[in-house]
Amino acid sequence: MMTTKTKTTIHKIGNFVGQEVTLQGWLANSRSSGSVQFLMIRDGTGFIQGIVAKNELLPEVFQLAHSLNQESSLEVTGIVREEKRAPGGYELTIKNLKLIGSSENYPITPKEHGIDFLMENRHLWFRSQRQQAILKIRHEIIKAIRDYLDSQGFVLVDAPILTPSACEGTTNLFEVQYFEDKAYLTQSGQLYMEAAAMALGKVYCFGPTFRAEKSKTRRHLTEFWMVEPEMAFCHLEDSLQTQEGMVSFIVSRVLENRKKELEYLKRDISKLEKIIPPFPRISYDESLEILKKKGLNPVWGNDFGGTDETILTEQFEKPIFVTHFPMACKAFYMKQDPVRPELAVCADLLAPEGYGEIIGGGQREEDLGLLEARMERMKMEKEPYQWYLDLRRFGTVPHGGFGLGIERTVSWICGLEHVREAIPFARTLYRIYP
Ligand code: 4AD
Ligand code: MG
């Protein structure tokens, strides 16, 4: 049989059984048993074991294979063999080997390392199979969100990062010098999406958002990514249906395309298979009753903490909507309930298994007088929000939307303990390196 030499990637290697191929990648690890060496090679698309047999190669090639350190970059040529017991189902019998970049004393060895050490070496930690799996699932989630919203007729509208005013309250704003003035890193693109919804109907933004969170929890970052759909002529229930449609679509896409990665992360897939609409809806008041029955002492008017959210979701297998929070614990733009004005027409979506709030959203106050009165009560400066009030002056309509936090969603779907692994380079209270 004639063999042809082809450059390929590990992911596609199954197309070349019995043929000679060339791969470019890195040495994940290696072991030796005298006259045979086993090189675990990775190239971003997968991992494959390369077999280097002393009696089948030039002595200098065997010597080079022997001297390679972890994370050396290399080009290997070899014959693809089917191997049922190998992780990807294939092995490579190496015929030739070329060192591209050497690697001395790679700091992350196969032994266990502490989390601080790994975060300090995040730029290298990336290369581990676990981190690769998380990054691939994150990509799948973002793509699923965009595909879902695009298929529902939403238009992507980018929101600014530098803003003149706060969206979510002033306690966690990052201030930056803006020439002679002050500006803030955006906490949310929502206010801009309200303007865009009045132009285009259904819109969304997707980008980084910033909050100077002083809390050190497993759910808080200072820089996180959020997708924020906003809809004109939208009532709360319309928004909840979009949310459960989108969230279940994301989960089904990950199950469809990234099962291998979920399995690598040892995620309990049966739990994800239950994420099918509709999701239960309970009111804030009902939530307090549940918390009281579980022995907690919640105070009416306070927002939930992480523990409250975990306890609330315990008895459900799906994400749950908690609706109608007290106005007092929500942002200025929330629409007040026409029947009980102390409540906001809003909802948070809490993920199961203790992952907490992944979505915050609701209807926006569309009435100019009510909105201005609230801003006055909250002692907000109205000047920076004139443009926002214009949306109520010129053809106001009932509207609403929501914001889904990407990292919390990734943490939940991957089953991660902490959001720091759900973003390529996490920014937290004590970390801005690397
Ligand atoms: O509930 P939040 O604050 O809602 C808003 O910002 C609205 N303006 C969104 C909207 O209606 N357009 O944040 C929305 C989501 C949360 O549910 C959570 O998933 C995530 O953003 N989030 C964070 N994720 C990581 N670190 C933080 N510090 C986060 N703060 C919020
Ligand atoms: Mg919230």
Side-chain angles (χ1 to χ4, degrees), residues 221-385:
L221 295 162
T222 55
E223 178 180 299
F224 62 97
W225 286 66
M226 183 154 53
V227 60
E228 296 185 86
E230 190 72 24
M231 294 164 271
F233 302 102
C234 165
H235 293 88
L236 186 63
E237 182 53 31
D238 306 317
S239 169
L240 301 192
Q241 286 174 17
T242 303
Q243 293 174 45
E244 59 195 5
M246 186 174 98
V247 169
S248 54
F249 181 80
I250 298 170
V251 172
S252 68
R253 263 288 180 82
V254 174
L255 286 171
E256 201 178 304
N257 295 338
R258 295 292 174 193
K259 210 165 216 156
K260 251 183 25 216
E261 283 77 10
L262 290 172
E263 280 163 3
Y264 186 82
L265 296 171
K266 301 197 170 66
R267 183 68 170 101
D268 183 346
I269 285 169
S270 69
K271 292 219 159 74
L272 296 177
E273 283 167 344
K274 294 185 176 131
I275 311 305
I276 298 165
F279 299 162
R281 289 137 167 79
I282 56 172
S283 70
Y284 175 86
D285 285 352
E286 287 164 339
S287 310
L288 290 203
E289 291 311 311
I290 295 176
L291 292 175
K292 281 181 197 155
K293 280 199 193 110
K294 302 262 173 164
L296 274 85
N297 236 332
V299 178
W300 196 94
N302 287 357
D303 206 350
F304 296 134
T307 317
D308 303 319
E309 290 175 354
T310 302
I311 290 171
L312 277 177
T313 51
E314 262 168 10
Q315 55 188 301
F316 299 96
E317 290 183 325
K318 296 183 191 186
I320 58 169
F321 289 114
V322 179
T323 70
H324 300 90
F325 282 74
M327 211 65 179
C329 65
K330 291 291 174 187
F332 79 98
Y333 52 71
M334 291 278 181
K335 179 179 171 64
Q336 73 176 44
D337 189 276
V339 184
R340 288 180 62 190
E342 73 280 16
L343 299 182
V345 186
C346 69
D348 281 359
L349 184 66
L350 310 183
E353 303 173 71
Y355 285 92
E357 181 198 325
I358 54 170
I359 293 183
Q363 258 182 264
R364 325 305 187 189
E365 185 54 75
E366 77 261 28
D367 183 275
L368 179 65
L370 291 175
L371 186 55
E372 283 188 313
R374 172 140 356 97
M375 293 175 79
E376 278 156 28
R377 273 203 306 281
M378 293 174 80
K379 302 206 164 40
M380 287 172 67
E381 251 189 275
K382 269 194 274 173
E383 203 38 48
Y385 295 93

Side-chain angles (χ1 to χ4, degrees), residues 167-168 172 187-191 193 205 209-213 215 217 219-230 330-331 333-334 347-349 356-362 364 400-409 419:
C167 176
E168 297 296 323
N172 59 14
Q187 297 167 307
S188 156
Q190 178 198 317
L191 306 187
M193 288 308 103
C205 62
T209 47
F210 305 86
R211 299 197 190 170
E213 305 278 7
S215 51
T217 79
R219 294 174 186 172
H220 287 92
L221 295 162
T222 55
E223 178 180 299
F224 62 97
W225 286 66
M226 183 154 53
V227 60
E228 296 185 86
E230 190 72 24
K330 291 291 174 187
Y333 52 71
M334 291 278 181
D348 281 359
L349 184 66
E357 181 198 325
I358 54 170
I359 293 183
R364 325 305 187 189
F402 60 94
L404 171 134
I406 298 296
E407 290 73 20
R408 292 202 191 162
T409 306
V419 285

Side-chain angles (χ1 to χ4, degrees), residues 121-138:
N121 287 286
R122 182 64 169 164
H123 53 298
L124 302 174
W125 186 23
F126 259 9
R127 302 181 184 194
S128 74
Q129 201 163 349
R130 174 182 166 84
Q131 299 308 315
Q132 287 184 35
I134 297 169
L135 289 170
K136 285 179 178 173
I137 293 172
R138 179 184 168 107

